[in-house]
């Protein structure tokens, strides 16, 4: 119990420090501000609508204009940390190989942006993205990751919630000064 109290006090101090550095209002209670930022809101509620089991059918393009390679899988979405983050656990097959991944998506109340990370067995890197809702039901994320040549590769994800039981994720990549190319399209269908 003592260890938990020390951790909570340290978290509160870090939060108060960060809020103070971010230009907290004169005379405002930093802890109250921190607690307000920690509350799940309507954006988090939208994310929680994905909780459940899904099948995934996908297409991947290794280079522009090539025939797509097909992939299938299953995804389990769950709520973590009191509906603050959406966790995805993916289990699929790609070219006869296991395709496993874990992702977390949340909404940062301070920056007013969605934030996401993805790790998988097809890479040793972490894909980090930030995004905004561009229209109702559609979020667009941008980020960079290390490409096969060791250079940063820009990527853009468009996630469309077609309805409560279907969502489509498209990934576009840009290598160097080249044009943006569609690399992946995944269709998620809720298991009923």
């Amino acid at each position: 119990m003592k260890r938990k109290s020390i951790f909570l006090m340290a978290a509160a101090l870090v939060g108060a420090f960060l809020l103070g550095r971010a230009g907290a209002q004169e005379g405002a209670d930093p802890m109250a501000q921190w607690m307000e930022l920690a509350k799940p809101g309507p954006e988090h509620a939208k994310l929680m609508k994905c909780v459940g089991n899904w099948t995934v059918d996908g297409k991947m393009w290794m280079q522009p204009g090539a025939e797509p390679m097909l992939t299938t899988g299953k995804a389990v979405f769950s709520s973590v940390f009191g509906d603050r983050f959406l966790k995805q656990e993916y289990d699929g097959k790609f070219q006869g190989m296991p395709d496993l991944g874990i992702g977390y998506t949340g909404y940062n109340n301070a920056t007013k942006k969605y934030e996401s990370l993805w790790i998988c067995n097809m890479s040793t890197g972490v894909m980090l993205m930030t995004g905004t809702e561009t229209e109702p039901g559609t979020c667009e994320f941008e980020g960079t990751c290390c490409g096969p040549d060791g250079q940063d590769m820009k990527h853009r994800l468009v996630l469309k919630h077609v309805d409560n039981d279907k969502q489509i994720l498209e990934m576009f990549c840009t290598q160097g000064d080249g044009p943006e190319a569609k690399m992946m399209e995944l269709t998620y269908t809720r298991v009923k």
Side-chain angles (χ1 to χ4, degrees):
M1 186 58 115
K2 185 175 182 180
R3 189 177 185 141
K4 185 176 180 182
S5 296
I6 292 171
F7 174 77
L8 290 173
M9 187 180 337
L13 289 172
V14 169
F17 172 77
L18 291 174
L19 282 173
R21 301 271 310 193
Q25 294 178 342
E26 186 78 25
D29 178 5
M31 189 60 183
Q33 290 177 313
W34 184 253
M35 296 307 290
E36 188 63 30
L37 284 175
K39 289 181 182 176
E43 292 82 5
H44 302 92
K46 287 179 186 178
L47 290 172
M48 295 308 117
K49 290 180 180 180
C50 293
V51 169
N53 297 319
W54 300 72
T55 59
V56 183
D57 293 297
K59 299 175 188 174
M60 296 190 183
W61 293 265
M62 292 296 113
Q63 56 186 0
E67 285 294 313
M69 292 185 255
L70 303 181
T71 180
T72 60
K74 299 175 185 176
V76 177
F77 288 91
S78 57
S79 166
V80 293
F81 301 122
D83 292 346
R84 287 171 179 82
F85 297 93
L86 182 68
K87 178 183 179 181
Q88 177 185 179
E89 295 175 90
Y90 179 79
D91 184 349
K93 293 278 186 198
F94 178 66
Q95 298 291 289
M97 299 180 296
D99 183 9
L100 308 170
I102 296 176
Y104 292 90
T105 303
Y107 182 79
N108 187 329
N109 287 329
T111 64
K112 308 292 187 221
K113 290 193 176 210
Y114 289 93
E115 298 177 346
S116 183
L117 71 84
W118 181 257
I119 56 174
C120 68
N121 68 316
M122 299 283 188
S123 173
T124 56
V126 177
M127 184 181 286
L128 300 170
M129 298 162 280
T130 59
T132 57
E133 187 172 32
T134 55
E135 59 184 76
T138 300
C139 287
E140 189 168 318
F141 292 85
E142 292 183 345
T144 59
C145 65
C146 186
D149 59 359
Q151 301 298 313
D152 278 350
M153 182 168 65
K154 294 178 186 175
H155 56 270
R156 181 172 65 90
L157 298 176
V158 178
L159 178 60
K160 298 176 187 175
H161 291 273
V162 178
D163 57 39
N164 286 337
D165 299 323
K166 183 177 180 181
Q167 49 186 320
I168 298 171
L169 179 117
E170 297 175 289
M171 183 171 97
F172 303 86
C173 295
T174 305
Q175 286 186 289
D177 295 328
E180 181 181 77
K182 186 174 183 175
M183 301 295 289
M184 180 173 64
E185 181 177 310
L186 302 177
T187 300
Y188 289 75
T189 305
R190 188 185 297 275
V191 176
K192 294 190 178 185

